[in-house]
Amino acid sequence: TQLKLVNPSQYRFEHLVTQMKWRLQEGRGEAVYQIGVEDNGLLVGLSEEEMRASLKTLRRMAEKVGADITVLREREVDYDSDVPRKITEVLVRKVPDNQQFLDLRVAVLGNVDSGKSTLLGVLTQGELDNGRGRARLNLFRHLHEIQSGRTSSISFEILGFNSKGEVVNYSDSRTAEEICESSSKMITFIDLAGHHKYLKTTIFGLTSYCPDFAMLVVSANTGIAGTTREHLGLAMALKVPFFIVISKVDLCSKATVERTVKQLERILKQPGCNKLPLLVNSDDDAVTAAQQFAQSPNITPIFTLSSVSGENLDLLKVFLNILPPLTNSKEQEELMQQLTEFQVDEIYTVPEVGTVVGGTLSSGICREGENLVVGPTDDGKFLRLKVCSIQRNRSACRVLRAGQAATLALGPFDRSLLRKGMVMVSPEMNPTICSVFEAEIVLLFHATTFRKGFQVTVHVGNVRQTAIVEKIHGKDKLRTGEKAVVRFRFIKHPEYLKIGAKLLFREGVTKGIGHVTDL
């Protein structure tokens, strides 16, 4: 917040510029300035003249640090003065020097037929749907998905915003690389499976791709159905802040839309959820929603829109443009100072490149040419390998930083030695692996009693394996809603786990969440 920036002295100007640099670093390349507001939050407002001069200074400051500014909104303050006074909020955005754009990952959840693939198609392709699913054909990866119109695998879609806050997408037949080049902020949508039978893919997506936010898509005409409640529960369990999009409002009456909104608000306010729904009806609401949502995770913005008529689609774009990256750079700095650790999520062979792995760097820094070890293998060993090249969002990149997702080419390394759930770490890490671990868990749902000898599929980050319950401390069995420390043993091979890691397990209708307490 800045009261006014009218003709500052050279010294004050330098000071303001330094402050802006710092704020941009903290916000990972983004900062919102409120002009006409005192530091204590008092809305004073500026006259037309002062505001013009202040914005001019802000532009000069931004130029000095190489940033762009966009006016988000201005509003009048009601004072008894004869001169109208205004407050202006301005978004300052700078692409960090090492051509790293701001990277936000949004997991997309929603019931089958809620219209989420269509919505993503419209956002990332830039043309409205014809009401028969044309927009989403661009998204489907597997033939059977186009035939059935359902998403089974996890697919990624990108939406860019340039530093002026304009949408950069595939609309001018740009390639992915071009979108990356001209965007200062990239939103990667992780489109997760909506159908019940693909729930394990969805859980894998939520735990291993570490999304910053989740977008829950609900169709206005069916309301809350099928897996919607489960998706809500998953987002809450994994503590991912989520916002809700009610789609297909072109298909129903205002009353129906309002009924769905009310239904959602009721669920969100329940003691288990404890969320504050915030219905977004105007640009102003969208700006407020993005700022408050990032500060307090219990606010849940709700959008009502149509991918066919395009109604209110812009409000969602405004929101996504301002949505700040969650982890601040202090956390990222700390993560970057730790030893390198890369989670392997996907493995493929690329002709003339060799073996390639995709995943997320969870800590440290990874450079081209670096020597790492990968494991654990079935007998618990780690093997040496070399990172030949790194690609991030489909373009080459020399250095990978904590929290970023990328694909690493490993050259002639034998692909059959790798599997999902492995980690690549720096050799001096001495990675801890275990076959037996303990976790404090809460049983969310269970049909029969949960006891020793029971087998469940355990998901921890990108690890997914069947484990057997060896012991429940202090009890011989668990019922729904009960908490306990449980000892699990992996059935096939040891895995790399960390204490404190979030865990999710399931078997048929049994579901539970918790965290690892002991290896």
Side-chain angles (χ1 to χ4, degrees), residues 138-286:
N138 303 321
L139 286 186
F140 288 141
R141 287 214 296 205
H142 298 318
L143 189 63
H144 81 90
E145 291 180 20
I146 293 177
Q147 285 154 359
S148 74
R150 294 197 168 154
T151 320
S152 59
S153 68
I154 295 178
S155 56
F156 294 93
E157 285 307 317
I158 54 176
L159 171 66
F161 287 96
N162 63 18
S163 45
K164 297 190 177 62
E166 298 155 347
V167 171
V168 182
N169 55 20
Y170 292 108
S171 58
D172 307 329
S173 65
R174 293 188 184 89
T175 61
E177 281 89 354
E178 287 171 316
I179 293 180
C180 293
E181 273 163 28
S182 44
S183 300
S184 56
K185 179 179 201 170
M186 291 281 291
I187 295 187
T188 305
F189 290 106
I190 306 164
D191 187 5
L192 302 167
H195 199 277
H196 202 93
K197 80 173 200 217
Y198 300 123
L199 196 65
K200 81 165 195 261
T201 310
T202 308
I203 291 180
F204 177 74
L206 270 180
T207 51
S208 70
Y209 292 109
C210 315
D212 296 301
F213 301 103
M215 170 165 89
L216 183 66
V217 184
V218 179
S219 149
N221 51 2
T222 51
I224 292 173
T227 42
T228 314
R229 273 198 173 83
E230 293 205 337
H231 287 162
L232 249 175
L234 280 175
M236 299 224 20
L238 293 160
K239 300 197 167 58
V240 182
F242 59 91
F243 56 96
I244 298 179
V245 171
I246 298 177
S247 65
K248 304 193 181 183
V249 298
D250 54 290
L251 292 182
C252 32
S253 63
K254 268 215 164 72
T256 313
V257 178
E258 275 169 22
R259 199 177 65 221
T260 303
V261 171
K262 290 252 168 359
Q263 190 186 13
L264 272 166
E265 290 183 333
R266 206 167 50 241
I267 286 190
L268 290 170
K269 286 176 184 165
Q270 281 172 358
C273 266
N274 239 333
K275 300 281 184 195
L276 259 161
L278 181 65
L279 192 60
V280 176
N281 289 319
S282 64
D283 275 358
D284 212 35
D285 291 350

Side-chain angles (χ1 to χ4, degrees), residues 177 342 348 350 353 356-359 368 387-400 404-409:
E177 281 89 354
F342 183 85
Y348 23 93
V350 177
V353 177
V356 172
V357 294
E368 260 181 30
V387 177
C388 302
S389 68
I390 304 175
Q391 273 222 334
R392 197 164 127 63
N393 276 335
R394 314 181 179 103
S395 41
C397 148
R398 302 245 173 267
V399 184
L400 191 61
Q404 297 179 335
T407 50
L408 311 182

Side-chain angles (χ1 to χ4, degrees), residues 442-451 454-456 469 472 477-482 505-512:
V442 177
L443 203 55
L444 293 183
F445 186 66
H446 192 52
T448 55
T449 47
F450 177 92
R451 53 166 53 122
F454 198 73
Q455 288 194 8
V456 291
V469 175
I472 302 174
K477 56 187 184 204
L478 270 191
R479 290 196 176 80
T480 301
E482 294 188 328
F505 60 87
R506 41 182 302 229
E507 180 49 56
V509 290
T510 302
K511 267 208 237 33

